[in-house]
Amino acid sequence: MTLDPEFKNQTINLIKETLALYKNAGTSPRIGNIWQCKNIGDFLCGFFVGEMVGSALSAFQVYHKREPTADEHMEIVDLVENYNEEIREFFAKFN
Protein backbone atom coordinates (compact mmCIF):
# COMPACT_ATOMS: atom_id res chain seq x y z
CA MET A 1 0.00 0.00 0.00
CA THR A 2 1.35 3.35 -0.99
CA LEU A 3 -1.45 5.77 -0.07
CA ASP A 4 -0.97 7.99 2.95
CA PRO A 5 -3.27 6.69 5.74
CA GLU A 6 -4.87 10.12 6.30
CA PHE A 7 -5.63 10.53 2.59
CA LYS A 8 -6.99 7.00 2.49
CA ASN A 9 -9.34 7.74 5.42
CA GLN A 10 -10.50 10.97 3.79
CA THR A 11 -11.25 9.11 0.57
CA ILE A 12 -13.22 6.42 2.37
CA ASN A 13 -15.24 9.12 4.13
CA LEU A 14 -15.86 10.84 0.77
CA ILE A 15 -17.24 7.61 -0.68
CA LYS A 16 -19.47 6.86 2.32
CA GLU A 17 -20.77 10.41 2.69
CA THR A 18 -21.45 10.89 -1.02
CA LEU A 19 -23.29 7.59 -1.27
CA ALA A 20 -25.40 8.59 1.73
CA LEU A 21 -26.25 11.87 -0.02
CA TYR A 22 -27.32 9.98 -3.14
CA LYS A 23 -29.49 7.66 -1.04
CA ASN A 24 -31.25 10.63 0.55
CA ALA A 25 -31.66 12.62 -2.65
CA GLY A 26 -32.89 9.91 -4.99
CA THR A 27 -32.78 10.56 -8.71
CA SER A 28 -34.36 12.79 -11.30
CA PRO A 29 -37.21 11.20 -13.26
CA ARG A 30 -35.80 12.85 -16.42
CA ILE A 31 -32.48 10.94 -16.49
CA GLY A 32 -33.66 8.25 -18.90
CA ASN A 33 -35.03 10.81 -21.34
CA ILE A 34 -32.21 13.31 -21.13
CA TRP A 35 -29.35 10.81 -21.38
CA GLN A 36 -31.21 8.27 -23.54
CA CYS A 37 -30.25 5.37 -21.31
CA LYS A 38 -32.31 2.21 -20.90
CA ASN A 39 -30.82 1.12 -17.59
CA ILE A 40 -30.89 4.22 -15.41
CA GLY A 41 -29.38 2.40 -12.45
CA ASP A 42 -26.40 1.21 -14.48
CA PHE A 43 -25.90 4.72 -15.85
CA LEU A 44 -26.05 6.24 -12.36
CA CYS A 45 -23.74 3.59 -10.94
CA GLY A 46 -21.12 4.34 -13.59
CA PHE A 47 -21.58 8.06 -13.04
CA PHE A 48 -21.13 7.65 -9.28
CA VAL A 49 -18.01 5.49 -9.60
CA GLY A 50 -16.48 7.95 -12.06
CA GLU A 51 -17.35 10.83 -9.78
CA MET A 52 -15.73 9.14 -6.76
CA VAL A 53 -12.54 8.15 -8.59
CA GLY A 54 -12.25 11.56 -10.26
CA SER A 55 -12.88 13.44 -7.02
CA ALA A 56 -10.34 11.32 -5.17
CA LEU A 57 -7.73 11.82 -7.89
CA SER A 58 -8.29 15.58 -7.78
CA ALA A 59 -8.07 15.56 -4.00
CA PHE A 60 -4.84 13.56 -4.26
CA GLN A 61 -3.32 16.25 -6.47
CA VAL A 62 -4.28 18.98 -4.02
CA TYR A 63 -3.23 16.98 -0.94
CA HIS A 64 0.15 15.84 -2.31
CA LYS A 65 0.79 18.59 -4.89
CA ARG A 66 1.63 16.00 -7.53
CA GLU A 67 0.09 13.44 -9.83
CA PRO A 68 -0.54 9.97 -8.36
CA THR A 69 1.65 7.11 -9.46
CA ALA A 70 0.02 4.20 -11.29
CA ASP A 71 -0.03 2.23 -8.03
CA GLU A 72 -1.61 5.10 -6.12
CA HIS A 73 -4.20 5.53 -8.84
CA MET A 74 -5.11 1.85 -8.62
CA GLU A 75 -5.33 2.05 -4.82
CA ILE A 76 -7.85 4.87 -5.19
CA VAL A 77 -9.86 2.74 -7.62
CA ASP A 78 -9.62 -0.15 -5.14
CA LEU A 79 -11.03 2.05 -2.36
CA VAL A 80 -14.10 2.76 -4.47
CA GLU A 81 -14.40 -0.86 -5.58
CA ASN A 82 -14.42 -1.95 -1.92
CA TYR A 83 -17.94 -0.50 -1.79
CA ASN A 84 -19.09 -2.23 -4.99
CA GLU A 85 -21.89 -4.25 -3.42
CA GLU A 86 -23.43 -1.31 -1.58
CA ILE A 87 -23.10 0.93 -4.64
CA ARG A 88 -24.53 -1.65 -7.06
CA GLU A 89 -27.35 -2.59 -4.69
CA PHE A 90 -28.47 1.00 -4.34
CA PHE A 91 -28.33 1.96 -8.00
CA ALA A 92 -29.91 -1.31 -9.16
CA LYS A 93 -33.17 0.00 -7.68
CA PHE A 94 -33.40 2.41 -10.60
CA ASN A 95 -33.21 -0.22 -13.36
Side-chain angles (χ1 to χ4, degrees):
M1 295 290 178
T2 57
L3 287 179
D4 173 89
E6 179 60 28
F7 177 79
K8 187 175 181 177
N9 287 335
Q10 289 176 2
T11 302
I12 290 169
N13 287 336
L14 171 72
I15 296 163
K16 289 179 181 179
E17 291 171 6
T18 306
L19 186 56
L21 289 172
Y22 271 73
K23 287 180 178 180
N24 288 332
T27 184
S28 167
R30 302 178 312 205
I31 288 177
N33 291 333
I34 292 172
W35 297 105
Q36 300 295 302
C37 55
K38 293 179 183 175
N39 296 315
I40 294 168
D42 293 343
F43 174 83
L44 291 171
C45 184
F47 180 86
F48 179 83
V49 169
E51 179 182 17
M52 291 301 92
V53 172
S55 294
L57 289 171
S58 293
F60 183 95
Q61 292 172 327
V62 171
Y63 186 84
H64 292 291
K65 297 179 179 40
R66 65 175 176 82
E67 296 289 322
T69 65
D71 287 341
E72 291 165 332
H73 184 131
M74 287 311 303
E75 278 191 65
I76 289 170
V77 171
D78 288 343
L79 291 175
V80 177
E81 289 177 346
N82 286 336
Y83 292 87
N84 67 4
E85 288 186 32
E86 187 177 356
I87 293 167
R88 275 193 339 241
E89 183 179 296
F90 172 68
F91 289 109
K93 295 175 184 179
F94 300 102
N95 280 337

